[in-house]
Amino acid sequence: MSLLEIKNLTVKFPSRKGDFTAVNDVSLSVEPGEILGIVGESGAGKSTVGNAIISLLDPPGYVSGGSVWLKGERIDDLDENLKSAIRGKRIGMIFQDPLTSLNPLETVGAQLIETITLHLDIDEKAARARAIDLLNQVGIENSEERVDQFPHQFSGGMRQRVVIALALCSDPEVVIADEPTTALDVSIQAQILGLLRKLCEDRNVGMIMVTHDMGVIAEITDRVAVMYNGKLVEIGKTDKVLYNPTHDYTKSLISAVPRPDKKSHRFPLVTYIEDVKERPEDLKLSDMWLGKTRDYEEFDGPMLQVENLKQDFVVKHAIFKRNHKYFTALKGVSFDIKQGEVFGIVGESGSGKSTIARCVTGIYEPSGGTVSICGTDLNKLEDKSRQNYYRRQTQMVFQDPFSSLNGRMRVENIIAEPIIFHKQATNKTEVKKIVDELLETVGLGSNAAQKFPHEFSGGQRQRISIARALATRPRFLICDEPTSALDVSIQAQVLNLLKDLQEELGLTMMFISHDLPVIRQMCDRVAVMQSGEILEIAETEALFNTPQHSYTQSLLGLMPKFRTVS
Amino acid sequence: MLTFIAKRMIQSVLVMIAVGLITFALLRFVGDPISNMVGQDTSTAEREELKEALGLNDPFVIQFANFAKNAVKGEFGLSYTLRVPVSQLLSERIPATLELSILSALLALFIGMPMGIYTAIHKDSWLTKLFLSSSLVGVSLPTFLIGILLILLFGVMFRWLPTFGRGEVVDLGWWSTGLLTWSGIKSLILPTITLAIFQLTLIMRLVRAEMLEVLRTDYIKFGRARGLSMKSIHYRHALKNTLIPVITITGLQLGSIIAFALITESVFQWPGMGLLFIQAIGNADVPIMAAYLVLIAFIFVAINLLVDILYVVLDPRLRTTVGD
């Protein structure tokens, strides 16, 4: 008898077009002390399985078939009171975003004590002692003191520890962790995963780990279930599934994960997904507007020169300027990007990567130092039209494909706007022709022009962003985490597109990412950043093979140890 | 926390000075105060004398300083038409207005909030649908129409309740209250309801929208996943988070209830400040208008200050940022 067993679970979401089957006939089991991974891309139904186990499906979803058994006892058909007696007490749950998982208005202690007294028959004082003890166990120092603090006084990683403590309040037999480390930096991710592994072993808890990240799966799970389109396509020992997959979907999913260990020319695509569309082979950029010789002045020297760049943000305003309190995001950063080079910047959140991009594009005015594009410091340039001339050569692709496109504009107008602003075309038909070509170039096809952004998926939106960035025929493209919001198969497509464009158009590129394998595949040279400083700049291969700085070494060491089948 | 309050106080004083300037300009430049005071047959020399005596020849700054000094003491001069000090007129009227508006604010709050909570928790019940559709009536009907309809129904047709005035009032020192006599209470019912209905529906809809928003958040879902009871989730975790934005709107609404009770007051001939103000407009009685302006501005500023402080008390996230 397994600890937790799911038999033929089917979950449906009614909609106007009929029922949508989110989970289709899935059977799983978890043993005590075991970690079972559920992996898949967005929309695969993996989180829905987790929610269905403790009957917390978002309405209007409902379980239309199958059963859930906890220690041989059926739990999915209990009434609501009995179900909530199981939730928290026997099955704990950990959610993705630690920043929103805690009630902001109550102290951590109050939330812990409420949960403890609810499940265990002890008084407030004993519950408080237990709360402090739990915080200790999940690795929060000074827990006597911190128990009376509010969630906003904890960092993201610490909050996730509090969430784990909350899930462990009453010694549950099963813990369901839904993407518990997705919102965290890689070093904190390693700590949290280690903590979860240890808890499973010490307490003999069975755990279901829902994630999209193959690295996490390889790191801590014993067995893994691969889901695709609501169906379970493969389940087995982690080693076997990852290194010897049998199902086609698993094979292509694994091959699409960027390799951390060696550089390959292109990212393998998830061929199993029907909707993959590469750019048509016969598309010749040299015949198109985009590929024509650009009317920029030639110059010698690096494309971008950043010298001693500083950026302060006022965190607290005072009446007098000298009493302002500042946060220094960049503490004097210097580097060059050569023409035609792909320069990577890697670092954890808050290290100042994006701030550099924003200073270079002129979104922020630097507090100190100089930024020169094509040998010219734009902040010192008086002539507006010359400024525009240089700005036109520098374009940016942003991280979030959902908020970086104006939802009330048609794709055509979104892409045409920079063309018209920078007077790249003389009349409307010419603009239209350029827009169609650009959409063709990024693999969307010209009939996308009349649609609105919400009609596209995340990956397609990111293609629109790229087309918009190309619309001024830039020489220098800045990509700020362009794929971190995308699934791994979509990520491969978008990165391939960027690589192709870079090669064919001879673009210079600044590529910002927190993802080391992606950096390795994309960049010629890499800068490693930590708290506003560049620690190391090196050729990509040299950096990955012989890192000099201790921080770089630890980052590389924390990189999920997952080697793909070659 | 103390510096935060001090800062807000300074801002409030600045706002009051600005309002004072506007009011002073109104007093000084709308019409000629001298011709408002004297008859037509007063000679120019006498007028000049009066002007000098009243300090109207002093520089602007000194005149404003004097005005501000008097305003702080609550003195706004004589009413042009009634020939009584404005401060005396206002202090007679304030209790009537405050009693009416505070009662209707309480009514709106104590009925609107539970209705909002109920409609958010029981999204699909028939009672929710009834509340929501009837609240549309409350939002869309203008106050005077509701007042007139109520008068027609309960005053004229059934003859249960009085339709105008405050009824018998009892004087408690400088405060006169209608709450201690039966006729006073009966007179309060209709105007209170009239004034409350719009606020009530507004608060209900606001609480409902906020609560629905909060119920969708992760910490509520996490609370359910920990097995917390629905009672704790709704009233302990969700309600507190709902209240933060509700407080702002409710605070501002209380201000506008007091300030704009005048429509209700004129429908019910309620002897409050609003009625006084409307009569003053009709008579171009500038000192009353000026005093009313300053007083209403003061009420708004005071309520805003209170709301800001309440915010900090309720939300620990603000406490650390404004703490030092």
Side-chain angles (χ1 to χ4, degrees):
Chain A
M1 184 178 69
S2 300
L3 175 58
L4 181 78
E5 227 177 331
I6 302 166
K7 288 181 185 159
N8 309 97
L9 183 73
T10 301
V11 177
K12 287 188 173 162
F13 283 82
S15 74
R16 263 179 292 174
K17 292 176 194 151
D19 284 4
F20 166 71
T21 309
V23 175
N24 195 350
D25 198 18
V26 168
S27 300
L28 295 169
S29 67
V30 186
E31 305 300 325
E34 180 192 49
I35 301 186
L36 170 76
I38 302 182
V39 73
E41 299 192 86
S42 42
K46 50 192 193 311
S47 293
T48 313
V49 172
N51 290 338
I53 292 171
I54 54 172
S55 307
L56 274 185
L57 289 171
D58 294 320
Y62 66 99
V63 176
S64 68
S67 54
V68 183
W69 304 73
L70 182 65
K71 281 196 170 158
E73 195 187 321
R74 188 164 176 188
I75 58 167
D76 61 308
D77 58 353
L78 300 173
D79 72 34
E80 189 56 30
N81 285 337
L82 291 171
K83 270 182 191 163
S84 70
I86 288 175
R87 277 183 216 137
K89 187 162 176 58
R90 299 184 64 192
I91 304 180
M93 186 117 190
I94 298 165
F95 288 108
Q96 171 171 359
D97 191 353
L99 300 182
T100 56
S101 288
L102 300 169
N103 183 350
L105 301 186
E106 286 198 3
T107 62
V108 163
Q111 299 183 51
L112 277 161
I113 291 168
E114 183 189 13
T115 316
I116 293 169
T117 48
L118 176 76
H119 293 304
L120 307 176
D121 192 21
I122 54 179
D123 63 10
E124 191 123 334
K125 216 174 149 207
R128 188 182 158 84
R130 186 174 162 81
I132 294 171
D133 185 45
L134 275 168
L135 290 179
N136 269 328
Q137 285 179 42
V138 295
I140 291 176
E141 286 165 20
N142 286 337
S143 49
E144 293 263 346
E145 213 176 285
R146 303 215 74 178
V147 74
D148 292 320
Q149 293 186 343
F150 289 94
H152 70 271
Q153 291 164 296
F154 290 77
S155 68
M158 283 294 156
R159 279 195 229 185
Q160 196 63 309
R161 286 169 194 265
V162 174
V163 169
I164 293 171
L166 275 165
L168 295 176
C169 273
S170 58
D171 285 315
E173 297 148 57
V174 179
V175 171
I176 301 166
D178 190 351
E179 305 263 10
T181 57
T182 307
L184 304 173
D185 273 330
V186 51
S187 56
I188 296 159
Q189 162 168 317
Q191 293 167 15
I192 297 287
L193 290 180
L195 174 67
L196 289 175
R197 173 88 257 182
K198 188 170 166 291
L199 291 171
C200 276
E201 279 160 12
D202 293 355
R203 296 165 173 249
N204 216 22
V205 169
M207 183 176 292
I208 294 180
M209 169 76 76
V210 176
T211 182
H212 70 283
D213 188 336
M214 282 292 180
V216 170
I217 292 288
E219 193 87 17
I220 85 161
T221 60
D222 300 301
R223 284 191 304 136
V224 61
V226 183
M227 284 189 71
Y228 173 64
N229 260 352
K231 291 196 197 77
L232 190 68
V233 295
E234 188 163 0
I235 183 165
K237 290 265 176 227
T238 303
D239 285 351
K240 197 192 145 285
V241 174
L242 291 192
Y243 302 117
N244 210 350
T246 52
H247 195 276
D248 284 345
Y249 175 73
T250 319
K251 280 182 194 162
S252 49
L253 185 66
I254 289 170
S255 64
V257 177
R259 304 189 54 154
D261 55 333
K262 90 172 202 232
K263 189 160 178 151
S264 50
H265 182 63
R266 289 182 70 79
F267 294 90
L269 293 171
V270 180
T271 46
Y272 193 77
I273 297 177
E274 296 93 303
D275 196 28
V276 172
K277 230 195 295 162
E278 276 277 80
R279 211 143 52 83
E281 285 294 323
D282 53 346
L283 206 65
K284 284 227 172 51
L285 285 183
S286 52
D287 299 340
M288 297 167 74
W289 173 81
L290 195 60
K292 271 190 246 160
T293 336
R294 284 164 286 189
D295 57 340
Y296 299 127
E297 300 150 16
E298 290 303 317
F299 69 100
D300 290 326
M303 175 61 81
L304 175 74
Q305 264 176 304
V306 173
E307 256 172 80
N308 203 19
L309 180 65
K310 289 195 184 109
Q311 181 69 53
D312 296 323
F313 294 109
V314 180
V315 283
K316 196 165 170 267
H317 284 274
I319 300 169
F320 300 105
K321 210 177 170 195
R322 64 189 151 89
N323 293 345
H324 284 345
K325 283 196 183 129
Y326 294 99
F327 166 72
T328 309
L330 293 177
K331 303 171 182 163
V333 172
S334 305
F335 63 92
D336 289 351
I337 301 182
K338 288 179 246 161
Q339 293 188 43
E341 181 183 42
V342 180
F343 186 83
I345 299 180
V346 71
E348 298 187 280
S349 49
S351 61
K353 318 184 285 286
S354 298
T355 312
I356 292 186
R358 284 161 185 233
C359 287
V360 169
T361 46
I363 297 174
Y364 295 154
E365 193 179 332
S367 321
T370 55
V371 174
S372 311
I373 295 172
C374 312
T376 314
D377 184 351
L378 298 195
N379 290 315
K380 293 213 180 76
L381 207 62
E382 295 291 329
D383 184 355
K384 254 283 180 273
S385 67
R386 284 302 282 176
Q387 250 191 21
N388 276 341
Y389 164 76
Y390 287 109
R391 294 263 178 252
R392 175 154 65 93
Q393 305 183 31
T394 316
Q395 291 296 319
M396 187 154 168
V397 177
F398 293 89
Q399 171 173 6
D400 182 3
F402 293 94
S403 61
S404 60
L405 298 174
N406 184 341
R408 304 205 181 274
M409 278 167 85
R410 287 183 199 278
V411 170
E412 181 179 29
N413 299 332
I414 290 175
I415 299 174
E417 197 175 31
I419 303 176
I420 294 163
F421 176 77
H422 286 293
K423 302 191 182 61
Q424 295 292 291
T426 43
N427 56 50
K428 270 188 182 164
T429 43
E430 203 177 330
V431 172
K432 176 96 184 78
K433 187 165 164 282
I434 296 172
V435 169
D436 287 350
E437 276 182 15
L438 282 168
L439 285 171
E440 208 70 60
T441 311
V442 295
L444 283 175
S446 53
N447 51 1
Q450 292 308 315
K451 295 188 187 168
F452 285 97
H454 70 259
E455 297 173 65
F456 296 93
S457 68
Q460 288 169 325
R461 279 162 178 248
Q462 211 57 322
R463 286 168 190 263
I464 297 171
S465 280
I466 294 170
R468 175 179 61 181
L470 292 175
T472 65
R473 288 200 290 178
R475 283 201 275 198
F476 182 33
L477 192 63
I478 298 171
C479 300
D480 187 358
E481 303 258 14
T483 58
S484 59
L486 305 177
D487 271 332
V488 55
S489 59
I490 311 292
Q491 161 171 299
Q493 296 171 24
V494 171
L495 291 178
N496 276 342
L497 173 68
L498 283 170
K499 263 191 149 178
D500 291 345
L501 290 167
Q502 192 267 329
E503 274 167 30
E504 283 170 59
L505 299 171
L507 291 174
T508 309
M509 210 186 267
M510 182 157 105
F511 193 91
I512 296 167
S513 179
H514 68 281
D515 190 332
L516 286 160
V518 168
I519 286 277
R520 181 162 204 171
Q521 302 304 323
M522 291 297 293
C523 306
D524 302 319
R525 277 197 310 148
V526 182
V528 181
M529 285 196 73
Q530 188 191 22
S531 35
E533 285 170 298
I534 291 185
L535 303 177
E536 183 174 1
I537 299 182
E539 301 284 328
T540 307
E541 287 308 294
L543 185 94
F544 278 80
N545 293 327
T546 51
Q548 299 299 312
H549 198 280
S550 59
Y551 177 72
T552 317
Q553 288 163 0
S554 74
L555 264 190
L556 289 174
L558 290 167
M559 199 160 66
K561 288 151 205 69
F562 165 56
R563 307 263 181 277
T564 50
V565 269
S566 36
Chain B
M1 182 75 188
L2 276 177
T3 47
F4 165 75
I5 295 175
K7 236 192 228 168
R8 283 295 143 95
M9 292 280 246
I10 293 169
Q11 286 171 357
S12 309
V13 170
L14 286 177
V15 171
M16 284 315 295
I17 289 175
V19 171
L21 265 174
I22 295 170
T23 318
F24 176 67
L26 184 77
L27 265 178
R28 187 69 189 75
F29 303 116
V30 176
D32 179 7
I34 300 293
S35 19
N36 280 322
M37 285 177 163
V38 295
Q40 282 196 331
D41 49 351
T42 320
S43 70
T44 324
E46 278 171 324
R47 281 171 188 253
E48 274 308 313
E49 226 168 87
L50 189 60
K51 215 171 176 185
E52 187 62 40
L54 286 173
L56 291 176
N57 286 334
D58 292 344
F60 178 81
V61 182
I62 294 179
Q63 282 194 46
F64 179 63
N66 285 331
F67 166 78
K69 213 165 63 193
N70 289 330
V72 169
K73 284 189 272 179
E75 287 167 18
F76 289 90
L78 288 181
S79 155
Y80 292 161
T81 45
L82 302 171
R83 303 281 160 190
V84 232
V86 173
S87 51
Q88 190 194 325
L89 277 174
L90 277 179
S91 64
E92 281 167 10
R93 300 296 191 107
I94 283 177
T97 297
L98 283 187
E99 232 162 55
L100 175 64
S101 28
I102 289 175
L103 267 181
S104 38
L106 288 178
L107 186 74
L109 211 57
F110 283 102
I111 297 179
M113 287 248 302
M115 273 167 86
I117 297 167
Y118 178 87
T119 51
I121 294 173
H122 307 277
K123 259 190 298 192
D124 299 316
S125 87
W126 62 269
L127 203 55
T128 296
K129 283 169 192 150
L130 182 75
F131 281 165
L132 286 179
S133 43
S134 55
S135 79
L136 272 182
V137 179
V139 178
S140 50
L141 281 188
T143 316
F144 67 86
L145 191 62
I146 295 177
I148 290 169
L149 287 177
L150 285 177
I151 289 178
L152 190 68
L153 206 63
F154 296 103
V156 180
M157 285 168 64
F158 296 131
R159 296 185 177 278
W160 290 343
L161 296 166
T163 57
F164 65 89
R166 287 185 82 187
E168 263 177 76
V169 292
V170 179
D171 284 322
L172 304 168
W174 54 276
W175 188 275
S176 68
T177 177
L179 288 170
L180 295 177
T181 62
W182 188 231
S183 83
I185 292 173
K186 277 212 294 200
S187 310
L188 262 168
I189 294 175
L190 286 186
T192 307
I193 293 175
T194 309
L195 196 53
I197 275 183
F198 177 78
Q199 312 297 335
L200 189 152
T201 47
L202 188 81
I203 288 174
M204 179 192 115
R205 288 186 159 254
L206 190 72
V207 168
R208 174 183 142 89
E210 283 300 329
M211 187 111 173
L212 284 175
E213 193 69 30
V214 171
L215 286 176
R216 273 196 291 270
T217 56
D218 284 355
Y219 53 85
I220 295 300
K221 196 175 173 197
F222 186 44
R224 288 180 62 201
R226 296 204 301 277
L228 301 184
S229 67
M230 275 323 200
K231 204 173 109 201
S232 164
I233 284 177
H234 287 152
Y235 296 104
R236 176 169 170 177
H237 295 279
L239 186 58
K240 238 174 148 187
N241 280 285
T242 304
L243 284 185
I244 290 178
V246 171
I247 283 175
T248 329
I249 304 289
T250 314
L252 289 177
Q253 285 302 322
L254 180 63
S256 56
I257 288 184
I258 297 172
F260 308 121
L262 49 89
I263 294 175
T264 310
E265 285 184 5
S266 47
V267 170
F268 289 94
Q269 288 297 301
W270 190 260
M273 289 190 297
L275 199 60
L276 181 71
F277 181 62
I278 290 199
Q279 286 159 354
I281 291 177
N283 300 332
D285 200 339
V286 177
I288 293 182
M289 294 200 278
Y292 186 75
L293 255 178
V294 171
L295 191 70
I296 293 300
F298 178 74
I299 290 172
F300 263 99
V301 166
I303 289 174
N304 255 320
L305 184 68
L306 244 131
V307 165
D308 280 344
I309 294 170
L310 254 177
Y311 247 30
V312 179
V313 171
L314 270 177
D315 194 336
R317 284 166 294 187
L318 292 172
R319 243 174 274 164
T320 38
T321 48
V322 301
D324 53 342

